[in-house]
Amino acid sequence: MKIVWAGSPHAFDVSDRISKLVASDPGFRKDNRSTLSRKELFKNTLRKAAYAWKTIVELRLSEEEAAKLRFYVDEPAFTDLHWGMFIPAIKGQGTEEQQQKWLPLAYKMQIIGCYAQTELGHGSNVQGLETTATFDPQTDEFIIHSPTLTSSKWWPGGLGKVATHAIAYARLIVGGREHGVNGFIVQLRSLEDHSPLLGITVGDIGMKFGNGAYNTMDNGVLRFDHVRIPRNQMLMRCAQYTCLCMPSDALYLDKVLDVYSIAFASIAVMLWVSQVTCEGKYKQSDVPRQLVYGTMVYVRQTIVADASCALSRAVCIATRYSAVRRQFGSQNGGPETQVIDYKTQQSRLFPLLASAYAFRFIGEWLKWLYADVTRRLQANDFSTLPEAHACTAGLKSLTTTTTARILTSKNTKTRAIVEKLRAPSKFSTSPWMFELHLVPVDSPFLVEYPVDPTRHGCGIRTGFIGIHRKKKRPGQRSSSSSEQIVSPLSSRWSPLEEESLPAEDKSLEERLDGIEECRKLCGGHGYLCSSGLPELFAVYVPACTYEGDNTVLLLQVARFLMKTISQLGSSKKPVGTIAYMTRVKHLMQCRCGVQRAEDWLKPSALLEAFEARAARMSVACAQNLSNFDNPEEGFAELSADLVEAAVAHCQLIVVSKFIEKLQQEIHGKGVKQQLEVLCNIYALFLLHKHQGDFLSTGCITPKHAALANDELRSLYSQVRPNAIALVDAFNYTDHYLGSILGCYDGNVYPKLYEAAWKDPLNESVVPDGYHQYIRPLLKQEICTARL
Amino acid sequence: MKIVWAGSPHAFDVSDRISKLVASDPGFRKDNRSTLSRKELFKNTLRKAAYAWKTIVELRLSEEEAAKLRFYVDEPAFTDLHWGMFIPAIKGQGTEEQQQKWLPLAYKMQIIGCYAQTELGHGSNVQGLETTATFDPQTDEFIIHSPTLTSSKWWPGGLGKVATHAIAYARLIVGGREHGVNGFIVQLRSLEDHSPLLGITVGDIGMKFGNGAYNTMDNGVLRFDHVRIPRNQMLMRCAQYTCLCMPSDALYLDKVLDVYSIAFASIAVMLWVSQVTCEGKYKQSDVPRQLVYGTMVYVRQTIVADASCALSRAVCIATRYSAVRRQFGSQNGGPETQVIDYKTQQSRLFPLLASAYAFRFIGEWLKWLYADVTRRLQANDFSTLPEAHACTAGLKSLTTTTTARILTSKNTKTRAIVEKLRAPSKFSTSPWMFELHLVPVDSPFLVEYPVDPTRHGCGIRTGFIGIHRKKKRPGQRSSSSSEQIVSPLSSRWSPLEEESLPAEDKSLEERLDGIEECRKLCGGHGYLCSSGLPELFAVYVPACTYEGDNTVLLLQVARFLMKTISQLGSSKKPVGTIAYMTRVKHLMQCRCGVQRAEDWLKPSALLEAFEARAARMSVACAQNLSNFDNPEEGFAELSADLVEAAVAHCQLIVVSKFIEKLQQEIHGKGVKQQLEVLCNIYALFLLHKHQGDFLSTGCITPKHAALANDELRSLYSQVRPNAIALVDAFNYTDHYLGSILGCYDGNVYPKLYEAAWKDPLNESVVPDGYHQYIRPLLKQEICTARL
Ligand SMILES: Cc1cc2nc3c(=O)[nH]c(=O)nc-3n(C[C@H](O)[C@H](O)[C@H](O)COP(=O)(O)OP(=O)(O)OC[C@H]3O[C@@H](n4cnc5c(N)ncnc54)[C@H](O)[C@@H]3O)c2cc1C
Ligand SMILES: Cc1cc2nc3c(=O)[nH]c(=O)nc-3n(C[C@H](O)[C@H](O)[C@H](O)COP(=O)(O)OP(=O)(O)OC[C@H]3O[C@@H](n4cnc5c(N)ncnc54)[C@H](O)[C@@H]3O)c2cc1C
Ligand SMILES: [Ca+2]
């Protein structure tokens, strides 16, 4: 099962080695984060970032390994933005000359960059940015300026204290005319003494949610006072500004979107030259010159991949602790019942466990889709692009609408219908590049290692899974550091783990709610920082903030659904994940064939129910929309319903991909059966949770719903004996998990006890403040005390 | 509306005065909490607690005012436990002699107490506690001992660093025989130098979730090494151990519970003498000697009341910020759209606003119920006690089952059927007492002050609600400190604000999810500590932890529902909030009469739908249960469904009490209409969210559901113009709200900007760590750097 989770034996091997390397190196210790003051915390992060870099250089890690190392260091740092936003932005939006100048400096960290887009008053809506970049033909420079308070850059990670350079987004003004928002490379600090350059005011924006968590990062504020930069520091290949969401005005464009195009859109960003010449001319070609992919994708992919880990970590903690924790039900002085044996606990925990797997697999599928489309594009094969089937706007819609986190320019040029697609003219081969065309396309659902069920199942059902477990597995965790770390790897390219598709975005939200639910499932102790759950929650909260715009994204999916329905009569056939709409007639009238509870285990029954629900909800929305004279008004008015229809569609995708995976060959004794149980739990849990959708659209009857519920209960009993094995399969080290409640050996109580004494408050037995504030109370001297 | 929210003109007056007093006193500043280190934070809390006490004493505040002051200081502190747990425990469980000895010391804070029940290995299940109290007849002492690691006391607030005394719960052992868990007053620290006494190991358990938040509190760990205390420090009147939940084994008792008894149970705790004589005899009378109320209730009431504020605070922040924040939709360079105008934002925010009001009113109703039952009991009038109508077990069930957070003893004596009830023999009249019989029973829904809709509605719909608003209300916030603070008040007794009834417990959970949803509604800035939302969330998370046991509580409600149904044929008629079950025949077959969307505004239509849903879900569960041979097994197996039925019942109560309130007279222009809109939003939102319940039980058809949804949309538009006024009605000072995003004048951006610079990281422009960790990176000297 570990291999299934990791994706491939190779991926397992790399993860396993690197995670153990990090875990065994005291330089990467992270259990003290919650007690450090802001300054100590930040300084410690600086140290770790330098130490990680040193380790990478000294051990000559491959880029795949280096990326994994940063991942397992598991601490938000300025390097995330440098590698994840600054470099990709230059690669994606810089001209060749710009790349040649800046990338080598960045690769060697001779400069450290950040990505400064968001402003105090402007987040989701990038077109509202106020920072200006005015061209001065006299000096051949741009003057970057923050005209208002709300134009202060606000949020960029790494900006506050570390970054020497920024990609800053600003409204381009040439000869008094505005040309939309563009990116500029601006130096912020002296490379000699790190002091801010003239005209630059820069600082940290202050404390964020949680202990440790994102407070390791110097999210910053930045104001420009007429800062001059050379003309060639405007990112000249920029036209589509990559960003974290979609403007609402784009909702009203006449566009085509389907799930393929959404996935594709996050791969392929249409770029063309927009230039300012030294004479002060602004030029932009009408036709995109290049199709570049693999730029901002990398950023979003890491955001999504990080968040996708979060749920599995929380589930791992809650599951292990639920087997250790005992409350009530003791008979004749025997041990109490493990709380994992309570049905109410199971009905909250196991759907989350199933979701962790479901999200992992949809991520793998996206990776595959991603690679597949990329490969075809390289071969000039556009046959799989849904746009080929879609409206005449063709790829124009792709560039303007794109996915979750790519913004359209308001510039009308960017909305021009693009008739032609050209293959990328050139690929960079720098080892620091994250271009996707080099990703090896391995079978996404490869399973090779057999799983030993005796080991996984050991002592869970009947036995004691607490402190003794360690003894049952002697030496198992200690061999890591002595293993050969730096092996020559066949591929130097890290496959992207996941991609942001609406289904993923939806699941993001579920994951976050899931972390909090896991914390609750741990009772009081889940509230301690040493449980790891508070920080896990706080760190992934920002991912959820991008989700604010998830609403907007889902509205786009809804718009695509409406479009698909409106075109059902035409020659444009829905393909890919929306192909079920071709059967809309059938789906509008089909009846659920389930007669006994077990019938719900048939993939066909599940799929049809989910397809019918999604189709009927979409059709209902389309009908309601048609009652409005003004479609835009109707869309705004019905937006809450449209979002629900979009959710139904996305859930169908996740369920169907899970089912598809199980139709493939899966090695390992019992592995497939366990996954089938999880798949059924996932689907039937969704069905129960969203019963209202299924019933109101008549897809199922109350009787069917009751049978589904019966089946769900019996599935919980089936997953119970394997629950621990299923979270062990994540193969997380105790270091990475960072949770006493979730520790591998189950030795929870002694560890909690020991950790408590490390709190700074315990440095002295009588607390600081006793003489000033407690003693006067006790001695009735409060009125004369100086407070 | 402010008066409606506050409950009465008097309550408004007190809250208003005291909140402004606290807000205007720099000694109570709390905006720096997130940047303080653990030790600074804690010390600062010690200072504030002493300062609050000084203020109370110097200004001679009444107890009502003192309680409000502690409330508005708004910082978890050891005093919460001292006043809220330690004193009530002595009053509830101590003999008269014990009370005479300990209470005066406690009232004057000559000793500081905590409540030490939970152990490392034992939380919900108090009967599993391992600490022992062995009677030594030779010295007439008890020996308190922690025999195992898991028996370490763990969590008690105030224990770690401050408390000089504890009520510690331990298994009583007399002459080698065990007599269940009892409470003991144990001195922990020297009153001279605060050092722990011999045999006592005590410390803090470490960092908890969030910045500031509960880290101001010294939740502690405590181990006893054969600590000796005099015999008379066992709480001799103890038999029912008050605690935060209900053991699962109690689920299987044959008992009667209804909502009245649940509410009542949390008022009336049956106590009787259990004593250890100096000869080492353990005595316990079979018949309770006294009916004492107002003991632990006070604790639970404050927990619930605190949490009930949390949602309204979060809603206030999110609503105000949603009116300030603008994103997208700018036409011709005009301002962008206020995000509160997006339907998706409304459909997430307005139900929470409506919930804030719904929970407030159910709280008021509980207060009324509470006072009503109390008064009747004093007059020996038991006619309103549902137990009078119920099974022969009578009040026995009350004492053994009780509500959410009162535990039954496993001692079979405590399960004895109690046939008689006696009125309390005596009332304490200490001004520090929280006895409930003195609560003035004011009309719970009194509204006297008219609301000026011009003021509340000002400029919300069309105008700019940001920075200008301040100017519209000149001087409004500054008059507070000069007002007369200490006025002679007619009543010295603070009415309890809310009581914990299952409906309340359920709403607790919703409130917490609500806080997090409000944070998301604020986009990126909600993630900053200065938004106030992270701390609000983290502080109320523990309330949610008690909620872990909420599942167990809901199972009790479910058991009561099952019992009611099984007795429907008998002469025992359901009364009070369960009275609808008398119409179960009708409810099982009634059809929803809604034909147009507006029909859903009829209270009768709403009520019948909610009643039918609750009744049908209960009946369905009862039917499923009857299929099991072993009812206990059936109950365990179906527990997830039973919880859903209990939720349906609780939601019905909240909806029906909201409707009832609106049938009373409500003064103030437009106030009633606004409340009606909120009530309808609350009910229809629940109906939409739980559509599956309503549809699967056939209470409504898909058509009805669609009409409800249509109506909901139009209600959102109606509440929009009043949204700001509706949160202003909470009358929260900026100090109490503690949120820049939610500040009254809407001047969000300048304040955020200013606050950022106060972060410790901004003390220097070049960060600490630059020379060691950043410069070597930039200068390519990493391999030689010392890291
Ligand atoms: C930890 C963290 C790190 C960050 N790092 C960076 C960084 O490195 N660089 C950078 O440039 N930025 C960064 N950001 C900023 C981030 O990109 C923005 O916060 C994010 O885009 C959300 O935008 P917002 O805050 O403007 O939300 P808002 O748009 O203000 O959202 C507020 C509410 O309005 C709603 N809303 C907005 N528009 C619409 C609409 N059209 N229709 C319906 N509802 C709408 C939203 O759903 C939400 O409920 C970071 C933020 C965080 C929290
Ligand atoms: C901030 C804070 C302050 C506190 N202050 C104090 C204090 O001052 N004094 C004090 O004595 N204690 C205090 N406590 C402890 C608190 O009372 C317990 O943490 C609380 O009762 C929860 O119990 P638990 O941690 O044992 O949860 P557990 O019972 O271990 O819960 C774990 C999981 O098991 C489930 N579960 C447990 N029993 C059952 C069952 N029978 N059926 C189904 N599911 C079940 C729960 O629902 C939960 O999901 C405090 C706790 C916190 C977080
Ligand atoms: Ca989301």
Side-chain angles (χ1 to χ4, degrees), chain A residues 112 117 123 174 258-259 415 433 452 618:
Chain A
I112 297 171
Q117 177 181 289
V174 183
D258 80 358
V259 173
R415 292 185 193 155
M433 237 189 58
D452 174 2
S618 284

Side-chain angles (χ1 to χ4, degrees), chain B residues 658-676:
Chain B
F658 204 154
I659 290 175
E660 261 178 34
K661 174 164 177 62
L662 295 177
Q663 280 155 0
Q664 300 169 26
E665 207 184 339
I666 295 180
H667 299 275
K669 203 171 134 205
V671 171
K672 192 165 192 159
Q673 286 95 310
Q674 290 178 33
L675 291 177
E676 273 165 359

